[in-house]
Amino acid sequence: MRSKTKIHKNRELRELTIERILALPPKLAWEGWTKPEHITRWWGPKLWTTTVFEMDVRPGGIWRYSLKSDDIIGEEAFCKAVYQEVTEPFTLVYTDSFTDKDWNVVENSEMLTTVQFEQTTNGTKLSIVTRFASAEELENAEAMGMIEGFNDAFDRLEEYLETSTGGLMDTVTSKDGTKIAYEKLGNGPAVILISSAVADHSDAAQLAQLLGTHYTVYNYDRRGRGQSSDVAPYSVQREIEDIEALIQKAGGSACLFGSSSGAVLALEAASRLGDQVSKLYLYEPPFIINGSRKPLPTEYVHHLNTLNQAGRRSEAVEYFMSEALGIPEEYIGYMKADPSWQAMESISHTIAYDGMIMGDTQSGKPLPTDRWKVNVPTLIMTGENSEPLFHESAKALTELLPFVESQTLPGQDHSAVVMAPSILVKTIVDYDIVREEK
């Protein structure tokens, strides 16, 4: 059941306050309010369509939009907002005014709006405080249906984000208090899915669904991503503790599936958590152990942190793409035009986390012989069409681990988690069947 909208009116201060608890985490509610691709799906009353002409969410930035009724009359209103304060994901302050079609501000229509996003046990408390130019303007706005309009908009926001994200996920609490969000699917032995860099649980959604026909799958957002929270400073040990919290939720023992740098995190977890990890499924750990790929710069993690601390998130993603993935500059320009680029920007601070997990295993030197002590069955999978470094990585790791099997998946590449989840599931299930028959 959706919570009720609360209204407070203060005629003396010329303020109207509208509050609502949304069953969404603050980060998601923030994105729904600050990204054009989202806000056009819910902003305004029911049966009205929003068009965003400009949305530059930063102090001094402009938001220009129109609201048009969907009936035969087609009434249309134009508005222009100027952001005064942007503190992600807690506070937005902006002046909002009605304009004509040429964006000239209508006299005495300016409203100062403060939107606050406060985490609660049930989601996010969203508070909108609007201060009008006069008490009469406040009364006029109420008479024109402003309260009903916001109530409609809250319903639409909650419904839209629930539909597009699957709603609020369950959480476990890691040792440092970080809330780790996860989805649980299926029945059978527990398998925890560990995502790669710049990915959250949604990348493995189909893989989780398919694996769920054979296993109990825990598909989670690593700290700092999706619906999981984060506590600074970061350390690899804290991510291990996140996995341990999920294992305890699963009953004290689980298999781990990891892709790319997530595979190395799975390997690290198996080494540190002992018999809490019963089996490993690793897809293409991205070691650079010879001349098959240019090594990462020694200042890689430091430079990523510097870019993120300066708010240069797009540059951080670009640095990762060029240095870690080896993507040519001419292709990165096209990638920036894709909506997925913004999603990667939102979690760009976690790219350094994966850099710390990889350590010096992307330096062009052989893998260390004493880093991992893993004594559980391990399946290493590599796509036939993947770059040589992944095949070299699988070969090197196979020589280090005691109970390991390596398989090459015909026709696949590094994108198999998203593009070929059924192939991965069949490979894992067949591997387990053969092991049980021995």
Side-chain angles (χ1 to χ4, degrees):
M1 176 183 290
R2 301 192 193 288
S3 66
K4 292 183 178 179
T5 302
K6 296 181 179 178
I7 310 296
H8 307 281
K9 187 168 65 173
N10 189 320
R11 184 179 174 81
E12 184 176 342
L13 294 177
R14 314 185 309 278
E15 286 184 352
L16 181 66
T17 301
I18 302 174
E19 295 180 348
R20 171 85 164 258
I21 302 289
L22 302 178
L24 301 164
K27 185 174 184 296
L28 201 57
W30 175 273
E31 290 181 0
W33 202 284
T34 57
K35 294 184 182 299
E37 65 269 27
H38 296 319
I39 204 165
T40 53
R41 305 291 294 274
W42 66 270
W43 182 255
K46 291 175 181 174
L47 302 179
W48 286 68
T49 297
T50 297
T51 301
V52 172
F53 299 90
E54 179 181 7
M55 194 173 203
D56 183 10
V57 187
R58 58 179 174 171
I62 304 294
W63 173 26
R64 293 185 299 126
Y65 63 96
S66 71
L67 290 164
K68 187 174 184 179
S69 68
D70 296 336
D71 56 22
I72 58 173
I73 299 174
E75 180 183 357
E76 190 167 16
F78 293 85
C79 300
K80 176 182 176 182
V82 181
Y83 294 102
Q84 310 294 314
E85 179 185 343
V86 177
T87 306
E88 182 181 357
F90 305 109
T91 306
L92 270 180
V93 181
Y94 56 88
T95 56
D96 199 6
S97 306
F98 288 106
T99 73
D100 60 22
K101 290 183 178 179
D102 297 321
W103 306 109
N104 297 307
V105 174
V106 175
E107 189 176 0
N108 293 327
S109 70
E110 186 175 277
M111 300 165 280
L112 179 65
T113 301
T114 301
V115 188
Q116 293 186 310
F117 305 76
E118 179 185 348
Q119 185 162 8
T120 71
T121 55
N122 297 321
T124 301
K125 179 182 177 182
L126 198 59
S127 301
I128 305 171
V129 180
T130 304
R131 177 174 293 177
F132 295 84
S134 67
E136 290 70 27
E137 290 298 322
L138 189 160
E139 300 296 343
N140 288 338
E142 186 176 5
M144 291 170 61
M146 185 176 183
I147 293 173
E148 292 80 3
F150 264 119
N151 207 32
D152 283 354
F154 283 149
D155 286 346
R156 296 175 68 189
L157 170 62
E158 208 164 9
E159 183 178 358
Y160 165 63
L161 289 178
E162 283 178 357
T163 301
S164 59
T165 65
L168 208 59
M169 299 163 69
D170 292 328
T171 60
V172 293
T173 303
S174 195
K175 283 184 180 177
D176 68 348
T178 300
K179 299 288 187 183
I180 301 300
Y182 70 95
E183 290 181 339
K184 179 182 175 183
L185 305 91
N187 290 290
V191 178
I192 297 171
L193 306 186
I194 304 174
S195 62
S196 62
V198 293
D200 62 20
H201 81 284
S202 60
D203 277 36
Q206 193 175 359
L207 174 65
Q209 195 73 38
L210 295 171
L211 270 177
T213 60
H214 304 275
Y215 306 89
T216 300
V217 180
Y218 291 80
N219 188 19
Y220 78 105
D221 284 331
R222 288 172 56 189
R223 60 174 51 215
R225 313 177 188 201
Q227 297 188 28
S228 289
S229 61
D230 202 358
V231 174
Y234 175 82
S235 74
V236 175
Q237 177 60 28
R238 289 188 166 185
E239 282 227 64
I240 304 296
E241 291 166 359
D242 299 344
I243 294 170
E244 185 174 25
L246 288 162
I247 291 174
Q248 292 308 308
K249 190 69 181 178
S253 177
C255 308
L256 303 181
F257 171 91
S259 62
S260 196
S261 52
V264 184
L265 178 57
L267 190 61
E268 197 71 29
S271 182
R272 299 192 195 187
L273 296 177
D275 58 8
Q276 293 184 73
V277 177
S278 56
K279 202 177 298 177
L280 286 174
Y281 311 110
L282 308 179
Y283 190 72
E284 297 197 341
F287 302 126
I288 301 176
I289 53 176
N290 52 33
S292 59
R293 167 81 77 79
K294 184 182 76 172
L296 263 62
T298 54
E299 71 279 9
Y300 174 72
V301 170
H302 175 74
H303 189 61
L304 282 169
N305 285 330
T306 299
L307 291 172
N308 280 296
Q309 287 164 6
R312 296 156 61 186
R313 288 179 170 269
S314 183
E315 290 179 57
V317 176
E318 184 172 351
Y319 184 66
F320 164 70
M321 291 291 174
S322 61
E323 296 296 336
L325 303 189
I327 296 175
E329 184 178 352
E330 56 266 32
Y331 292 109
I332 292 177
Y334 293 108
M335 295 174 68
K336 287 182 177 178
D338 191 275
S340 63
W341 189 270
Q342 288 188 337
M344 290 189 286
E345 280 186 34
S346 70
I347 56 174
S348 64
H349 59 289
T350 67
I351 300 174
Y353 299 176
D354 287 80
M356 293 172 68
I357 291 165
M358 296 305 299
D360 62 357
T361 62
Q362 295 181 307
S363 62
K365 301 175 184 175
L367 288 178
T369 57
D370 58 352
R371 177 171 165 177
W372 302 295
K373 293 180 172 56
V374 175
N375 293 306
V376 297
T378 302
L379 171 63
I380 303 174
M381 296 166 281
T382 308
E384 178 189 32
N385 298 334
S386 293
E387 291 181 65
L389 79 93
F390 297 111
H391 296 273
E392 297 290 339
S393 296
K395 181 181 177 184
L397 194 56
T398 300
E399 292 171 354
L400 284 180
L401 302 181
F403 307 110
V404 65
E405 179 176 328
S406 180
Q407 292 192 25
T408 299
L409 310 190
Q412 301 308 312
D413 58 27
H414 201 55
S415 65
V417 169
V418 176
M419 302 303 293
S422 61
I423 302 296
L424 288 174
V425 171
K426 184 176 188 310
T427 304
I428 289 169
V429 172
D430 288 349
Y431 167 76
D432 281 349
I433 291 174
V434 170
R435 282 193 56 78
E436 289 175 2
E437 291 175 346
K438 285 182 180 178

PDB file of all heavy atoms in Angstrom, residues 5 26 50 96 119 128 138 142 154 160 182 192 228 252 272 303 316 333 359 368 382 396 406 429:
ATOM      1  N   THR A   5      -0.056  11.183   1.253  1.00  0.00           N
ATOM      2  CA  THR A   5       0.652  12.447   1.109  1.00  0.00           C
ATOM      3  C   THR A   5       0.202  13.395   2.221  1.00  0.00           C
ATOM      4  O   THR A   5      -0.988  13.539   2.483  1.00  0.00           O
ATOM      5  CB  THR A   5       0.340  13.076  -0.260  1.00  0.00           C
ATOM      6  OG1 THR A   5       0.725  12.150  -1.284  1.00  0.00           O
ATOM      7  CG2 THR A   5       1.101  14.383  -0.440  1.00  0.00           C
ATOM      8  N   PRO A  26      16.801   6.481  -1.404  1.00  0.00           N
ATOM      9  CA  PRO A  26      17.024   7.878  -1.789  1.00  0.00           C
ATOM     10  C   PRO A  26      17.734   8.035  -3.130  1.00  0.00           C
ATOM     11  O   PRO A  26      17.400   8.919  -3.922  1.00  0.00           O
ATOM     12  CB  PRO A  26      17.873   8.420  -0.633  1.00  0.00           C
ATOM     13  CG  PRO A  26      17.512   7.576   0.533  1.00  0.00           C
ATOM     14  CD  PRO A  26      17.265   6.207  -0.034  1.00  0.00           C
ATOM     15  N   THR A  50       4.888  15.475 -20.028  1.00  0.00           N
ATOM     16  CA  THR A  50       6.000  16.401 -19.774  1.00  0.00           C
ATOM     17  C   THR A  50       7.048  16.280 -20.875  1.00  0.00           C
ATOM     18  O   THR A  50       7.434  15.173 -21.257  1.00  0.00           O
ATOM     19  CB  THR A  50       6.649  16.094 -18.415  1.00  0.00           C
ATOM     20  OG1 THR A  50       5.682  16.299 -17.391  1.00  0.00           O
ATOM     21  CG2 THR A  50       7.854  16.985 -18.173  1.00  0.00           C
ATOM     22  N   ASP A  96      11.450  28.140  -9.548  1.00  0.00           N
ATOM     23  CA  ASP A  96      10.625  27.633 -10.645  1.00  0.00           C
ATOM     24  C   ASP A  96       9.628  28.728 -11.033  1.00  0.00           C
ATOM     25  O   ASP A  96       8.991  29.320 -10.157  1.00  0.00           O
ATOM     26  CB  ASP A  96       9.878  26.376 -10.174  1.00  0.00           C
ATOM     27  CG  ASP A  96       9.384  25.536 -11.332  1.00  0.00           C
ATOM     28  OD1 ASP A  96       9.704  25.859 -12.488  1.00  0.00           O
ATOM     29  OD2 ASP A  96       8.690  24.539 -11.065  1.00  0.00           O
ATOM     30  N   GLN A 119      16.412   9.192   3.926  1.00  0.00           N
ATOM     31  CA  GLN A 119      16.235   7.739   4.031  1.00  0.00           C
ATOM     32  C   GLN A 119      15.463   7.382   5.295  1.00  0.00           C
ATOM     33  O   GLN A 119      15.740   7.902   6.379  1.00  0.00           O
ATOM     34  CB  GLN A 119      17.582   7.025   4.043  1.00  0.00           C
ATOM     35  CG  GLN A 119      17.444   5.495   4.026  1.00  0.00           C
ATOM     36  CD  GLN A 119      18.738   4.804   3.607  1.00  0.00           C
ATOM     37  OE1 GLN A 119      19.765   5.437   3.477  1.00  0.00           O
ATOM     38  NE2 GLN A 119      18.657   3.511   3.389  1.00  0.00           N
ATOM     39  N   ILE A 128       8.757  18.403  -0.144  1.00  0.00           N
ATOM     40  CA  ILE A 128       8.835  19.516  -1.095  1.00  0.00           C
ATOM     41  C   ILE A 128       8.276  20.757  -0.408  1.00  0.00           C
ATOM     42  O   ILE A 128       7.105  20.785  -0.017  1.00  0.00           O
ATOM     43  CB  ILE A 128       8.021  19.234  -2.364  1.00  0.00           C
ATOM     44  CG1 ILE A 128       8.465  17.919  -2.987  1.00  0.00           C
ATOM     45  CG2 ILE A 128       8.171  20.370  -3.363  1.00  0.00           C
ATOM     46  CD1 ILE A 128       7.571  17.481  -4.115  1.00  0.00           C
ATOM     47  N   LEU A 138       0.040  31.657  -3.246  1.00  0.00           N
ATOM     48  CA  LEU A 138      -0.104  30.344  -2.600  1.00  0.00           C
ATOM     49  C   LEU A 138      -1.546  29.848  -2.734  1.00  0.00           C
ATOM     50  O   LEU A 138      -1.787  28.691  -3.115  1.00  0.00           O
ATOM     51  CB  LEU A 138       0.295  30.456  -1.127  1.00  0.00           C
ATOM     52  CG  LEU A 138       0.412  29.155  -0.305  1.00  0.00           C
ATOM     53  CD1 LEU A 138       1.269  29.407   0.946  1.00  0.00           C
ATOM     54  CD2 LEU A 138      -0.924  28.566   0.100  1.00  0.00           C
ATOM     55  N   GLU A 142      -3.018  26.551  -4.877  1.00  0.00           N
ATOM     56  CA  GLU A 142      -3.838  25.491  -4.272  1.00  0.00           C
ATOM     57  C   GLU A 142      -5.159  25.361  -5.022  1.00  0.00           C
ATOM     58  O   GLU A 142      -5.624  24.241  -5.295  1.00  0.00           O
ATOM     59  CB  GLU A 142      -4.086  25.809  -2.796  1.00  0.00           C
ATOM     60  CG  GLU A 142      -4.813  24.681  -2.063  1.00  0.00           C
ATOM     61  CD  GLU A 142      -4.974  24.968  -0.581  1.00  0.00           C
ATOM     62  OE1 GLU A 142      -4.602  26.073  -0.138  1.00  0.00           O
ATOM     63  OE2 GLU A 142      -5.482  24.076   0.123  1.00  0.00           O
ATOM     64  N   PHE A 154       3.531  11.942  -7.414  1.00  0.00           N
ATOM     65  CA  PHE A 154       4.161  10.968  -6.520  1.00  0.00           C
ATOM     66  C   PHE A 154       3.736   9.551  -6.876  1.00  0.00           C
ATOM     67  O   PHE A 154       4.550   8.624  -6.888  1.00  0.00           O
ATOM     68  CB  PHE A 154       3.780  11.266  -5.073  1.00  0.00           C
ATOM     69  CG  PHE A 154       4.523  12.413  -4.467  1.00  0.00           C
ATOM     70  CD1 PHE A 154       3.942  13.201  -3.507  1.00  0.00           C
ATOM     71  CD2 PHE A 154       5.824  12.707  -4.856  1.00  0.00           C
ATOM     72  CE1 PHE A 154       4.626  14.256  -2.939  1.00  0.00           C
ATOM     73  CE2 PHE A 154       6.521  13.762  -4.299  1.00  0.00           C
ATOM     74  CZ  PHE A 154       5.912  14.544  -3.335  1.00  0.00           C
ATOM     75  N   TYR A 160       6.372   4.227 -11.649  1.00  0.00           N
ATOM     76  CA  TYR A 160       7.350   4.135 -12.738  1.00  0.00           C
ATOM     77  C   TYR A 160       8.644   3.482 -12.268  1.00  0.00           C
ATOM     78  O   TYR A 160       9.168   2.560 -12.906  1.00  0.00           O
ATOM     79  CB  TYR A 160       7.636   5.531 -13.299  1.00  0.00           C
ATOM     80  CG  TYR A 160       8.874   5.574 -14.167  1.00  0.00           C
ATOM     81  CD1 TYR A 160       8.944   4.842 -15.350  1.00  0.00           C
ATOM     82  CD2 TYR A 160       9.983   6.323 -13.785  1.00  0.00           C
ATOM     83  CE1 TYR A 160      10.086   4.851 -16.132  1.00  0.00           C
ATOM     84  CE2 TYR A 160      11.125   6.342 -14.560  1.00  0.00           C
ATOM     85  CZ  TYR A 160      11.177   5.613 -15.737  1.00  0.00           C
ATOM     86  OH  TYR A 160      12.317   5.617 -16.505  1.00  0.00           O
ATOM     87  N   TYR A 182      19.846  -7.086  -2.204  1.00  0.00           N
ATOM     88  CA  TYR A 182      19.935  -8.317  -2.994  1.00  0.00           C
ATOM     89  C   TYR A 182      18.545  -8.810  -3.390  1.00  0.00           C
ATOM     90  O   TYR A 182      17.529  -8.455  -2.768  1.00  0.00           O
ATOM     91  CB  TYR A 182      20.658  -9.423  -2.210  1.00  0.00           C
ATOM     92  CG  TYR A 182      19.862  -9.960  -1.053  1.00  0.00           C
ATOM     93  CD1 TYR A 182      19.073 -11.104  -1.188  1.00  0.00           C
ATOM     94  CD2 TYR A 182      19.859  -9.308   0.185  1.00  0.00           C
ATOM     95  CE1 TYR A 182      18.320 -11.590  -0.128  1.00  0.00           C
ATOM     96  CE2 TYR A 182      19.114  -9.782   1.246  1.00  0.00           C
ATOM     97  CZ  TYR A 182      18.345 -10.933   1.089  1.00  0.00           C
ATOM     98  OH  TYR A 182      17.595 -11.401   2.143  1.00  0.00           O
ATOM     99  N   ILE A 192      25.897 -17.057  -5.155  1.00  0.00           N
ATOM    100  CA  ILE A 192      25.924 -15.599  -5.073  1.00  0.00           C
ATOM    101  C   ILE A 192      26.597 -15.051  -6.330  1.00  0.00           C
ATOM    102  O   ILE A 192      27.702 -15.486  -6.684  1.00  0.00           O
ATOM    103  CB  ILE A 192      26.680 -15.136  -3.808  1.00  0.00           C
ATOM    104  CG1 ILE A 192      25.935 -15.614  -2.561  1.00  0.00           C
ATOM    105  CG2 ILE A 192      26.836 -13.614  -3.790  1.00  0.00           C
ATOM    106  CD1 ILE A 192      26.698 -15.404  -1.266  1.00  0.00           C
ATOM    107  N   SER A 228      22.408  -0.585  -2.928  1.00  0.00           N
ATOM    108  CA  SER A 228      23.274  -0.780  -1.767  1.00  0.00           C
ATOM    109  C   SER A 228      23.891   0.542  -1.343  1.00  0.00           C
ATOM    110  O   SER A 228      24.182   1.394  -2.175  1.00  0.00           O
ATOM    111  CB  SER A 228      24.393  -1.789  -2.076  1.00  0.00           C
ATOM    112  OG  SER A 228      23.873  -3.094  -2.188  1.00  0.00           O
ATOM    113  N   GLY A 252      25.054 -20.069   5.606  1.00  0.00           N
ATOM    114  CA  GLY A 252      26.404 -20.338   6.104  1.00  0.00           C
ATOM    115  C   GLY A 252      27.371 -20.883   5.084  1.00  0.00           C
ATOM    116  O   GLY A 252      28.579 -21.001   5.359  1.00  0.00           O
ATOM    117  N   ARG A 272      39.754 -15.978   1.568  1.00  0.00           N
ATOM    118  CA  ARG A 272      39.690 -15.429   2.928  1.00  0.00           C
ATOM    119  C   ARG A 272      38.570 -16.043   3.782  1.00  0.00           C
ATOM    120  O   ARG A 272      38.637 -15.994   5.003  1.00  0.00           O
ATOM    121  CB  ARG A 272      39.484 -13.911   2.869  1.00  0.00           C
ATOM    122  CG  ARG A 272      40.597 -13.165   2.153  1.00  0.00           C
ATOM    123  CD  ARG A 272      40.485 -11.676   2.372  1.00  0.00           C
ATOM    124  NE  ARG A 272      41.294 -10.910   1.433  1.00  0.00           N
ATOM    125  CZ  ARG A 272      41.484  -9.600   1.492  1.00  0.00           C
ATOM    126  NH1 ARG A 272      40.899  -8.915   2.470  1.00  0.00           N
ATOM    127  NH2 ARG A 272      42.209  -8.972   0.588  1.00  0.00           N
ATOM    128  N   HIS A 303      44.554   7.938  -9.826  1.00  0.00           N
ATOM    129  CA  HIS A 303      44.006   8.891 -10.802  1.00  0.00           C
ATOM    130  C   HIS A 303      42.487   8.797 -10.854  1.00  0.00           C
ATOM    131  O   HIS A 303      41.797   9.826 -10.944  1.00  0.00           O
ATOM    132  CB  HIS A 303      44.601   8.625 -12.187  1.00  0.00           C
ATOM    133  CG  HIS A 303      44.259   9.677 -13.198  1.00  0.00           C
ATOM    134  ND1 HIS A 303      44.625  11.003 -13.038  1.00  0.00           N
ATOM    135  CD2 HIS A 303      43.553   9.626 -14.368  1.00  0.00           C
ATOM    136  CE1 HIS A 303      44.169  11.707 -14.057  1.00  0.00           C
ATOM    137  NE2 HIS A 303      43.526  10.900 -14.879  1.00  0.00           N
ATOM    138  N   ALA A 316      36.351   9.905 -15.412  1.00  0.00           N
ATOM    139  CA  ALA A 316      36.751   8.671 -14.729  1.00  0.00           C
ATOM    140  C   ALA A 316      36.316   7.446 -15.539  1.00  0.00           C
ATOM    141  O   ALA A 316      37.082   6.491 -15.706  1.00  0.00           O
ATOM    142  CB  ALA A 316      36.145   8.629 -13.332  1.00  0.00           C
ATOM    143  N   GLY A 333      33.590   8.294 -27.914  1.00  0.00           N
ATOM    144  CA  GLY A 333      32.675   9.383 -28.219  1.00  0.00           C
ATOM    145  C   GLY A 333      31.270   8.884 -28.502  1.00  0.00           C
ATOM    146  O   GLY A 333      30.282   9.472 -28.035  1.00  0.00           O
ATOM    147  N   GLY A 359      44.600  -5.236  -7.867  1.00  0.00           N
ATOM    148  CA  GLY A 359      45.969  -5.068  -7.354  1.00  0.00           C
ATOM    149  C   GLY A 359      46.967  -4.968  -8.475  1.00  0.00           C
ATOM    150  O   GLY A 359      46.749  -4.244  -9.456  1.00  0.00           O
ATOM    151  N   PRO A 368      50.875 -13.746  -8.861  1.00  0.00           N
ATOM    152  CA  PRO A 368      51.571 -14.143  -7.625  1.00  0.00           C
ATOM    153  C   PRO A 368      51.194 -15.577  -7.248  1.00  0.00           C
ATOM    154  O   PRO A 368      50.046 -15.989  -7.418  1.00  0.00           O
ATOM    155  CB  PRO A 368      51.058 -13.131  -6.603  1.00  0.00           C
ATOM    156  CG  PRO A 368      49.742 -12.685  -7.145  1.00  0.00           C
ATOM    157  CD  PRO A 368      49.878 -12.704  -8.632  1.00  0.00           C
ATOM    158  N   THR A 382      35.910 -19.176 -20.374  1.00  0.00           N
ATOM    159  CA  THR A 382      36.440 -18.135 -21.248  1.00  0.00           C
ATOM    160  C   THR A 382      35.718 -18.203 -22.591  1.00  0.00           C
ATOM    161  O   THR A 382      35.506 -19.291 -23.133  1.00  0.00           O
ATOM    162  CB  THR A 382      37.955 -18.320 -21.479  1.00  0.00           C
ATOM    163  OG1 THR A 382      38.607 -18.447 -20.214  1.00  0.00           O
ATOM    164  CG2 THR A 382      38.539 -17.123 -22.232  1.00  0.00           C
ATOM    165  N   ALA A 396      46.880 -19.337 -16.750  1.00  0.00           N
ATOM    166  CA  ALA A 396      47.756 -19.067 -15.602  1.00  0.00           C
ATOM    167  C   ALA A 396      47.074 -19.444 -14.295  1.00  0.00           C
ATOM    168  O   ALA A 396      47.701 -20.016 -13.397  1.00  0.00           O
ATOM    169  CB  ALA A 396      48.138 -17.587 -15.597  1.00  0.00           C
ATOM    170  N   SER A 406      39.016 -25.787 -16.663  1.00  0.00           N
ATOM    171  CA  SER A 406      38.874 -24.630 -17.544  1.00  0.00           C
ATOM    172  C   SER A 406      38.100 -25.029 -18.797  1.00  0.00           C
ATOM    173  O   SER A 406      38.374 -26.061 -19.396  1.00  0.00           O
ATOM    174  CB  SER A 406      40.261 -24.097 -17.932  1.00  0.00           C
ATOM    175  OG  SER A 406      40.135 -22.975 -18.781  1.00  0.00           O
ATOM    176  N   VAL A 429      25.731 -25.939 -15.000  1.00  0.00           N
ATOM    177  CA  VAL A 429      24.925 -27.107 -14.617  1.00  0.00           C
ATOM    178  C   VAL A 429      25.595 -28.393 -15.081  1.00  0.00           C
ATOM    179  O   VAL A 429      25.694 -29.375 -14.315  1.00  0.00           O
ATOM    180  CB  VAL A 429      23.505 -26.989 -15.207  1.00  0.00           C
ATOM    181  CG1 VAL A 429      22.728 -28.287 -14.990  1.00  0.00           C
ATOM    182  CG2 VAL A 429      22.759 -25.814 -14.567  1.00  0.00           C
TER     183      VAL A 429
END
